[in-house]
Amino acid sequence: KNEVEQSPQNLTAQEGEFITINCSYSVGISALHWLQQHPGGGIVSLFMLSSGKKKHGRLIATINIQEKHSSLHITASHPRDSAVYICAVSLYGGSQGNLIFGKGTKLSVKP
Amino acid sequence: NAGVTQTPKFRILKIGQSMTLQCTQDMNHNYMYWYRQDPGMGLKLIYYSVGAGITDKGEVPNGYNVSRSTTEDFPLRLELAAPSQTSVYFCASNQLAGLYNEQFFGPGTRLTVL
């Protein structure tokens, strides 16, 4: 079993829809990261959170530490949101600083 | 700041050839990483470095070597390329400070071994 699981693997939405991507993890973490990877490959960090909720524009990330679960929401989705969204965690007490990654969720938003 | 840069962007190798993937960061980060991304899989850690002169193996180090002679540079060496090394390679860096661990990624190198 992977330490970080995402669902769904693929998601197709119509422009304007509210989107939710889920992430569950099975290890102790110091932080959870949401990353975005556009076609062409570059990876950018969207959020890093260890508790509660963060919002940036139309993107909202939440985390429930007790349930070991995080969600990424996109409100009023737009075709430019089409990308792969990756959940990753920093291990609690990890001195290496590397991330453990989920497999990603491929989002396609149709106009 | 350029952030994390990688060269080349694309490369095709024949089985048994060798090459070095270059990675440079200008953020004065101590921590640097090499990951590989295979289709349908999460990124996997190949090697990492916590500072100049210090490197260690990650989850999938076989077939690779690294060095870290300066804070800025962290090259990844493939000595005898094999088809199993066909992948997209990402270099990343961060400045681990307590719980703060935002990673900055390079644009990636797409490698095909035929």
Side-chain angles (χ1 to χ4, degrees), chain B residues 1-3 12 41 56 67 76 91 100 107 112:
Chain B
N1 286 350
I12 298 175
M41 303 297 292
D56 208 346
S67 59
L76 178 72
C91 179
Y100 183 79
T112 302

PDB file of all heavy atoms in Angstrom, chain B residues 1-3 12 41 56 67 76 91 100 107 112:
ATOM      1  N   ASN B   1      16.150  35.873  -9.724  1.00  0.00           N
ATOM      2  CA  ASN B   1      16.635  34.504  -9.461  1.00  0.00           C
ATOM      3  C   ASN B   1      16.096  33.530 -10.491  1.00  0.00           C
ATOM      4  O   ASN B   1      14.915  33.572 -10.811  1.00  0.00           O
ATOM      5  CB  ASN B   1      16.167  34.048  -8.078  1.00  0.00           C
ATOM      6  CG  ASN B   1      16.943  34.728  -6.970  1.00  0.00           C
ATOM      7  OD1 ASN B   1      17.933  35.379  -7.230  1.00  0.00           O
ATOM      8  ND2 ASN B   1      16.500  34.548  -5.745  1.00  0.00           N
ATOM      9  N   ALA B   2      16.960  32.652 -10.991  1.00  0.00           N
ATOM     10  CA  ALA B   2      16.507  31.653 -11.940  1.00  0.00           C
ATOM     11  C   ALA B   2      15.839  30.491 -11.238  1.00  0.00           C
ATOM     12  O   ALA B   2      15.113  29.732 -11.852  1.00  0.00           O
ATOM     13  CB  ALA B   2      17.691  31.145 -12.759  1.00  0.00           C
ATOM     14  N   GLY B   3      16.090  30.298  -9.932  1.00  0.00           N
ATOM     15  CA  GLY B   3      15.505  29.170  -9.212  1.00  0.00           C
ATOM     16  C   GLY B   3      16.346  27.924  -9.426  1.00  0.00           C
ATOM     17  O   GLY B   3      17.554  27.935  -9.249  1.00  0.00           O
ATOM     18  N   ILE B  12      18.161  11.488 -25.839  1.00  0.00           N
ATOM     19  CA  ILE B  12      17.998  10.083 -26.201  1.00  0.00           C
ATOM     20  C   ILE B  12      19.365   9.416 -26.095  1.00  0.00           C
ATOM     21  O   ILE B  12      20.346   9.906 -26.686  1.00  0.00           O
ATOM     22  CB  ILE B  12      17.424   9.930 -27.627  1.00  0.00           C
ATOM     23  CG1 ILE B  12      16.038  10.563 -27.704  1.00  0.00           C
ATOM     24  CG2 ILE B  12      17.346   8.452 -28.011  1.00  0.00           C
ATOM     25  CD1 ILE B  12      15.436  10.585 -29.093  1.00  0.00           C
ATOM     26  N   MET B  41       3.066   6.721 -11.988  1.00  0.00           N
ATOM     27  CA  MET B  41       3.691   6.524 -10.672  1.00  0.00           C
ATOM     28  C   MET B  41       4.006   7.861 -10.040  1.00  0.00           C
ATOM     29  O   MET B  41       4.198   8.865 -10.724  1.00  0.00           O
ATOM     30  CB  MET B  41       4.987   5.721 -10.821  1.00  0.00           C
ATOM     31  CG  MET B  41       4.809   4.375 -11.494  1.00  0.00           C
ATOM     32  SD  MET B  41       3.765   3.279 -10.548  1.00  0.00           S
ATOM     33  CE  MET B  41       4.803   2.966  -9.137  1.00  0.00           C
ATOM     34  N   ASP B  56      23.577  11.143  -0.192  1.00  0.00           N
ATOM     35  CA  ASP B  56      23.111   9.841   0.291  1.00  0.00           C
ATOM     36  C   ASP B  56      22.060   9.293  -0.657  1.00  0.00           C
ATOM     37  O   ASP B  56      21.436  10.039  -1.418  1.00  0.00           O
ATOM     38  CB  ASP B  56      22.557   9.938   1.699  1.00  0.00           C
ATOM     39  CG  ASP B  56      22.700   8.616   2.467  1.00  0.00           C
ATOM     40  OD1 ASP B  56      22.987   7.576   1.828  1.00  0.00           O
ATOM     41  OD2 ASP B  56      22.520   8.632   3.687  1.00  0.00           O
ATOM     42  N   SER B  67      27.252  13.834  -7.120  1.00  0.00           N
ATOM     43  CA  SER B  67      28.308  14.532  -6.390  1.00  0.00           C
ATOM     44  C   SER B  67      27.767  15.909  -6.008  1.00  0.00           C
ATOM     45  O   SER B  67      26.820  16.405  -6.616  1.00  0.00           O
ATOM     46  CB  SER B  67      29.567  14.666  -7.248  1.00  0.00           C
ATOM     47  OG  SER B  67      29.281  15.377  -8.441  1.00  0.00           O
ATOM     48  N   LEU B  76      23.677  14.591 -11.682  1.00  0.00           N
ATOM     49  CA  LEU B  76      23.304  13.176 -11.600  1.00  0.00           C
ATOM     50  C   LEU B  76      23.952  12.448 -12.764  1.00  0.00           C
ATOM     51  O   LEU B  76      23.767  12.823 -13.916  1.00  0.00           O
ATOM     52  CB  LEU B  76      21.778  13.023 -11.673  1.00  0.00           C
ATOM     53  CG  LEU B  76      21.231  11.604 -11.659  1.00  0.00           C
ATOM     54  CD1 LEU B  76      21.379  10.977 -10.272  1.00  0.00           C
ATOM     55  CD2 LEU B  76      19.761  11.585 -12.085  1.00  0.00           C
ATOM     56  N   CYS B  91      15.073  17.690 -10.618  1.00  0.00           N
ATOM     57  CA  CYS B  91      15.926  18.147  -9.535  1.00  0.00           C
ATOM     58  C   CYS B  91      15.107  19.114  -8.691  1.00  0.00           C
ATOM     59  O   CYS B  91      14.264  19.856  -9.214  1.00  0.00           O
ATOM     60  CB  CYS B  91      17.152  18.843 -10.114  1.00  0.00           C
ATOM     61  SG  CYS B  91      18.308  19.487  -8.904  1.00  0.00           S
ATOM     62  N   TYR B 100       9.132  24.136   7.991  1.00  0.00           N
ATOM     63  CA  TYR B 100       9.050  24.757   6.670  1.00  0.00           C
ATOM     64  C   TYR B 100       9.841  23.934   5.676  1.00  0.00           C
ATOM     65  O   TYR B 100      11.038  23.726   5.838  1.00  0.00           O
ATOM     66  CB  TYR B 100       9.598  26.181   6.711  1.00  0.00           C
ATOM     67  CG  TYR B 100       9.453  26.874   5.385  1.00  0.00           C
ATOM     68  CD1 TYR B 100       8.224  27.403   5.010  1.00  0.00           C
ATOM     69  CD2 TYR B 100      10.521  26.953   4.493  1.00  0.00           C
ATOM     70  CE1 TYR B 100       8.068  28.013   3.776  1.00  0.00           C
ATOM     71  CE2 TYR B 100      10.364  27.556   3.270  1.00  0.00           C
ATOM     72  CZ  TYR B 100       9.141  28.093   2.919  1.00  0.00           C
ATOM     73  OH  TYR B 100       8.988  28.684   1.698  1.00  0.00           O
ATOM     74  N   PRO B 107      12.730  22.291 -14.248  1.00  0.00           N
ATOM     75  CA  PRO B 107      11.756  22.014 -15.310  1.00  0.00           C
ATOM     76  C   PRO B 107      11.747  20.568 -15.774  1.00  0.00           C
ATOM     77  O   PRO B 107      10.854  20.160 -16.517  1.00  0.00           O
ATOM     78  CB  PRO B 107      12.206  22.937 -16.445  1.00  0.00           C
ATOM     79  CG  PRO B 107      13.659  23.130 -16.211  1.00  0.00           C
ATOM     80  CD  PRO B 107      13.858  23.103 -14.724  1.00  0.00           C
ATOM     81  N   THR B 112      15.204   9.237 -22.751  1.00  0.00           N
ATOM     82  CA  THR B 112      14.794   7.975 -23.381  1.00  0.00           C
ATOM     83  C   THR B 112      16.029   7.147 -23.647  1.00  0.00           C
ATOM     84  O   THR B 112      17.005   7.655 -24.214  1.00  0.00           O
ATOM     85  CB  THR B 112      14.042   8.235 -24.692  1.00  0.00           C
ATOM     86  OG1 THR B 112      12.903   9.056 -24.424  1.00  0.00           O
ATOM     87  CG2 THR B 112      13.580   6.925 -25.318  1.00  0.00           C
TER      88      THR B 112
END
